[in-house]
Amino acid sequence: MRKICLPPLVLQKIIPSKTTDHYNNPRNVGSLPKNDMDVGTGLVGAPACGDVMKLQIRVDKNTNTISEVKFKTFGCGSAIASSSYLTELVRGMSLEDAGRIRNTEIAKELCLPPVKLHCSMLAEDAIKSAIKDYQTKSNRGPPTLGKNLL
Amino acid sequence: MTTTAKVVRCAARFSRSHFASPLRPAATTVRRALTAQLQHRCISSSGKNEEAAVKVDVENRRIDTSNFMNKTGMKPSEVDVGNRLTADAMMSPSAGILKQATIMDEGSRPIYLDMQATTPMDPRVLDAMLPFYTGLYGNPHSRTHAYGWETEKAIDVARGHIAKLIGADPKEIIFTSGATESNNMSIKGVARFYKSKRHIVTSQTEHKCVLDSCRHLQDEGYEITYLPVKSNGLIDLEQLEKEIRPDTALVSIMTVNNEIGVIQPMEEIGKLCRKKGVFFHTDGAQAVGKIPVDVGKWNVDLMSISGHKVYGPKGIGACYIRRRPKVRIDPLISGGGQERGLRSGTLAPPLVIGFGEACRIAKEEIDYDHKRVTALANRLQSGLLAMEHTTLNGDANARYPGCVNVSFAYVEGESLLMALKDVALSSGSACTSASLEPSYVLRALGSSDESAHSSIRFGIGRFTTEAEIDYVLKAVRDRVTVLREMSPLWELVQEGVDLNTIEWSQH
């Protein structure tokens, strides 16, 4: 068969972008046991706004780096892609570095359009909130029997 | 070959020249063969148009194929033109369409379930339109020669078909560019003509063009009452009666809602408006041709109709304006005084005739179509509602079945749409699908932002098949499950947490 090129009659194939790739194959979906002492959980966003992101990190105490990370997201495709990309980005990072991640980094990598910038901001909030949760947990120490009874 | 056949062939070939031109030089012979066929085009006028178009296509195909083989020495079916199509598909327009249809069945084109946004044009409509693009090109307003007369005659026939479909007199039909223009014309026209009356009543769930026309009148100093709707999407008649004042000029309530498909109690509203002596306008774009419409029985004074929602062409619509008792409007467009001076500008005969033909078919097949759409919709609706945490938006009984709007709790609508790439759907009206705001119609029903964010509209029409519905049902079930697995809200609910007790950080 000879091949000639004509403008497609049917549908132009959409070039798979990073966003669609992360949306179609989201990395690190799932949950970590939130009561573990070395797990920090960040839950940001609101259902009324159409975006909720839950990010969980497990921190290696000795090296102070993120050893495991999981997410669950309720939101548009960009929100899911942002959180999926974020989990890939922060795994193995030290807490200091992870706390310094800016939303612009995520938006730039995924080529998010202006109307979807809030998705990357939510991802930034999620990792910050997860780190904060871990730090309060480890500062407070394990829950005592007395505290629980109160 | 008959003259009609020539006209149809010319038109078909003209359309083909579109995709045959930008070829790569590597395939010169094939390109020459394909383009050569576009050269010997002819122009001729025609008087008769009763010839069957199928015969023409068969003949066309035979000639095109033999020309192609003479030039290239290859069978068209052996030449790959990309996109899983062979040159065979380009040999005659109908063959090409059929070929594309098979590819659609294989799933490379999404299943179309967005019939409220627009409907595909019925092929019978195109057949009626084609002669008016080529041979019969007279200006229908030319009274001095036969070209004008023949077009005018065809337009009158089309006008008759539209009038018959809604139970009106042909003289009461004014052609416009679409339902948006008709709505603007009716609302602004009545308000501006009856200047002493400064009040208009409409509902919160109207189409954007009605709401925006009202907003515009508000700036001109008119008072507008936006009637709230009950949680089932229907208006409260008692409340409507209370809102009508002595200086109310117009009540505008749509027949079938474009997002949730509920049918307002038209007869009762009409009776009330007649009793109170106010004009009653209705946006019938989603109703005409789908449910029985009778402007006489409903006491409707003005009605907006759209061509592309009844399997007709885009860019054409009509406005019904009652003559007895006479409704007078201030025209939006001034000029040559066409359409009884209410909408100046030369009519577009091919569109008008296509619209008329679409209405004729709709009138003939309305019972069959309605029965079929109802059966398909029931299948879809019961399948979707069988999933847990799903709700139907809008009244369950007073509705056009072809519009099924369902909320899938704990799944975001936009991500579900993205997951359902193989189905063409919408989370609301096409006009607002670019914004991130949840649908104002669902908000007006009193549904929470969460459920408005997770709703999807399924539109079923004349050409939807049972196999398509089954495919969509399965796809929705699968994807909703995947997305719920990914949703933190679903996880919380499964753990037994009440989402309202959580303090969410607002953005």
Side-chain angles (χ1 to χ4, degrees):
Chain A
M1 259 196 175
R2 236 160 89 191
K3 183 107 184 148
I4 16 169
C5 233
L6 280 177
L9 291 168
V10 187
L11 244 196
Q12 288 201 325
K13 217 175 173 188
I14 302 153
I15 305 152
S17 67
K18 277 198 177 122
T19 310
T20 46
D21 179 41
H22 273 280
Y23 174 75
N24 289 332
N25 313 297
R27 280 67 140 176
N28 307 312
V29 178
S31 293
L32 297 172
K34 62 173 175 234
N35 294 327
D36 282 12
M37 279 310 293
D38 55 350
V39 169
T41 305
L43 184 65
V44 292
C49 307
D51 295 292
V52 177
M53 218 174 257
K54 190 189 80 169
L55 191 81
Q56 292 185 301
I57 50 171
R58 192 188 287 282
V59 182
D60 187 330
K61 272 224 170 84
N62 306 322
T63 55
N64 216 24
T65 55
I66 298 169
S67 60
E68 204 180 347
V69 52
K70 293 275 183 211
F71 85 94
K72 278 200 176 189
T73 294
F74 161 87
C76 63
S78 305
I80 291 174
S82 295
S83 27
S84 166
Y85 172 66
L86 180 74
T87 58
E88 282 205 322
L89 195 68
V90 299
R91 195 168 41 189
M93 248 188 197
S94 70
L95 285 185
E96 289 76 51
D97 288 345
R100 275 200 292 267
I101 288 173
R102 291 270 89 92
N103 72 303
T104 41
E105 261 174 75
I106 301 162
K108 209 172 154 195
E109 177 70 19
L110 296 174
C111 305
L112 293 182
V115 287
K116 295 292 183 190
L117 282 183
H118 69 276
C119 298
S120 59
M121 291 179 210
L122 205 61
E124 183 190 322
D125 285 355
I127 182 69
K128 289 210 167 114
S129 157
I131 293 171
K132 211 175 133 200
D133 182 60
Y134 167 74
Q135 281 166 346
T136 36
K137 244 186 196 174
S138 55
N139 287 344
R140 198 173 48 209
T144 60
L145 199 63
K147 242 182 193 174
N148 269 356
L149 283 174
L150 280 174
Chain B
M1 209 192 298
T2 64
T3 40
T4 325
K6 274 186 201 155
V7 171
V8 175
R9 253 191 103 179
C10 288
R13 288 186 159 164
F14 181 72
S15 72
R16 218 175 319 143
S17 66
H18 226 59
F19 43 75
S21 43
L23 286 165
R24 269 198 197 153
T28 346
T29 16
V30 183
R31 183 189 56 184
R32 269 199 213 121
L34 282 172
T35 45
Q37 292 181 11
L38 309 171
Q39 315 268 294
H40 52 270
R41 297 292 115 102
C42 49
I43 294 170
S44 82
S45 75
S46 153
K48 273 163 91 193
N49 56 357
E50 287 91 36
E51 283 291 321
V54 183
K55 256 189 187 168
V56 181
D57 279 334
V58 172
E59 176 67 5
N60 250 348
R61 189 179 167 75
R62 196 187 59 74
I63 298 171
D64 285 358
T65 310
S66 69
N67 282 353
F68 187 88
M69 282 167 71
N70 287 343
K71 297 259 166 59
T72 61
M74 282 185 287
K75 275 189 192 159
S77 53
E78 286 170 354
V79 180
D80 184 7
V81 293
N83 249 323
R84 289 193 279 158
L85 284 179
T86 61
D88 192 42
M90 301 174 68
M91 287 301 111
S92 108
S94 296
I97 291 165
L98 285 177
K99 206 80 181 183
Q100 285 200 21
T102 28
I103 286 180
M104 267 184 252
D105 288 344
E106 284 170 24
S108 80
R109 255 189 98 150
I111 290 172
Y112 191 76
L113 276 194
D114 198 9
M115 296 289 177
Q116 274 69 42
T118 190
T119 52
M121 199 158 78
D122 195 301
R124 289 170 284 183
V125 172
L126 181 66
D127 284 346
M129 286 167 70
L130 278 177
F132 292 88
Y133 273 118
T134 46
L136 309 176
Y137 48 76
N139 182 330
H141 312 296
S142 297
R143 291 286 169 84
T144 50
H145 48 69
Y147 286 86
W149 303 334
E150 59 187 9
T151 321
E152 195 194 11
K153 211 173 137 201
I155 281 178
D156 284 343
V157 173
R159 208 188 288 275
H161 289 319
I162 297 155
K164 213 170 153 197
L165 182 61
I166 62 166
D169 187 86
K171 288 191 190 114
E172 298 173 314
I173 303 294
I174 304 296
F175 287 111
T176 62
S177 65
T180 294
E181 192 192 319
S182 302
N183 283 331
N184 271 271
M185 184 167 122
S186 306
I187 293 166
K188 292 179 186 166
V190 167
R192 286 175 186 161
F193 190 89
Y194 300 93
K195 283 213 173 67
S196 58
K197 300 198 165 183
R198 308 293 289 176
H199 180 233
I200 287 172
V201 182
T202 184
S203 82
Q204 290 177 354
T205 55
E206 290 298 306
H207 190 264
K208 271 270 185 261
C209 64
V210 170
L211 295 175
D212 221 53
S213 298
C214 288
R215 189 86 13 105
H216 199 88
L217 286 175
Q218 233 167 342
D219 294 344
E220 288 178 24
Y222 290 85
E223 273 182 69
I224 317 282
T225 302
Y226 298 98
L227 214 58
V229 293
K230 296 183 280 189
S231 61
N232 60 0
L234 298 175
I235 60 152
D236 187 349
L237 283 165
E238 279 173 29
Q239 199 173 2
L240 174 65
E241 189 167 3
K242 266 184 230 150
E243 295 293 349
I244 297 177
R245 316 192 307 214
D247 68 335
T248 303
L250 183 79
V251 169
S252 177
I253 307 281
M254 75 202 308
T255 318
V256 172
N257 187 279
N258 57 320
E259 288 198 26
I260 51 177
V262 294
I263 306 174
Q264 300 287 356
M266 298 308 287
E267 221 174 317
E268 286 84 347
I269 301 173
K271 224 177 260 168
L272 184 65
C273 291
R274 192 52 64 85
K275 196 177 88 190
K276 295 263 182 179
V278 295
F279 292 124
F280 177 27
H281 165 256
T282 184
D283 176 1
Q286 301 287 349
V288 172
K290 292 174 186 159
I291 60 167
V293 171
D294 190 335
V295 288
K297 198 169 121 200
W298 293 356
N299 284 324
V300 167
D301 295 305
L302 302 117
M303 177 184 268
S304 309
I305 314 169
S306 173
H308 71 104
K309 313 269 194 206
V310 284
Y311 309 94
K314 292 167 186 62
I316 185 84
C319 191
Y320 160 80
I321 302 179
R322 185 175 283 280
R323 272 162 62 101
R324 251 177 298 235
K326 197 170 174 71
V327 182
R328 310 188 64 175
I329 65 163
D330 190 39
L332 279 186
I333 297 175
S334 332
Q338 289 92 345
E339 299 293 287
R340 296 199 286 132
L342 296 177
R343 208 275 189 183
S344 292
T346 303
L347 285 177
L351 300 181
V352 168
I353 279 123
F355 183 21
E357 178 70 4
C359 286
R360 186 191 67 76
I361 296 168
K363 172 90 188 161
E364 231 168 58
E365 303 186 350
I366 191 164
D367 292 334
Y368 177 81
D369 277 352
H370 195 271
K371 226 182 259 168
R372 217 175 141 265
V373 166
T374 309
L376 291 175
N378 284 344
R379 198 185 178 91
L380 180 72
Q381 198 175 311
S382 55
L384 291 176
L385 295 181
M387 296 163 62
E388 50 180 346
H389 297 284
T390 53
T391 41
L392 180 73
N393 294 310
D395 195 82
N397 300 314
R399 65 182 306 118
Y400 168 62
C403 178
V404 181
N405 193 315
V406 176
S407 283
F408 300 90
Y410 319 119
V411 174
E412 212 268 341
E414 215 182 307
S415 65
L416 184 54
L417 286 184
M418 205 165 154
L420 288 165
K421 256 195 292 258
D422 40 359
V423 189
L425 289 166
S426 159
S427 52
S429 80
C431 314
T432 51
S433 60
S435 77
L436 302 174
E437 284 293 304
S439 147
Y440 66 91
V441 173
L442 295 177
R443 298 282 298 277
L445 300 192
S447 28
S448 60
D449 279 1
E450 288 101 300
S451 98
H453 266 300
S454 38
S455 72
I456 294 210
R457 177 183 74 181
F458 299 83
I460 299 161
R462 184 183 288 165
F463 303 113
T464 312
T465 64
E466 209 163 293
E468 283 176 330
I469 296 289
D470 289 343
Y471 179 90
V472 171
L473 261 179
K474 190 183 173 296
V476 171
R477 265 194 219 115
D478 293 353
R479 319 282 160 84
V480 166
T481 313
V482 169
L483 286 173
R484 277 187 177 160
E485 285 304 309
M486 211 192 275
S487 164
L489 303 179
W490 179 249
E491 190 183 53
L492 288 168
V493 169
Q494 297 297 308
E495 286 169 9
V497 180
D498 182 3
L499 293 183
N500 295 321
T501 60
I502 298 175
E503 260 182 61
W504 299 104
S505 57
Q506 299 285 338
H507 269 263

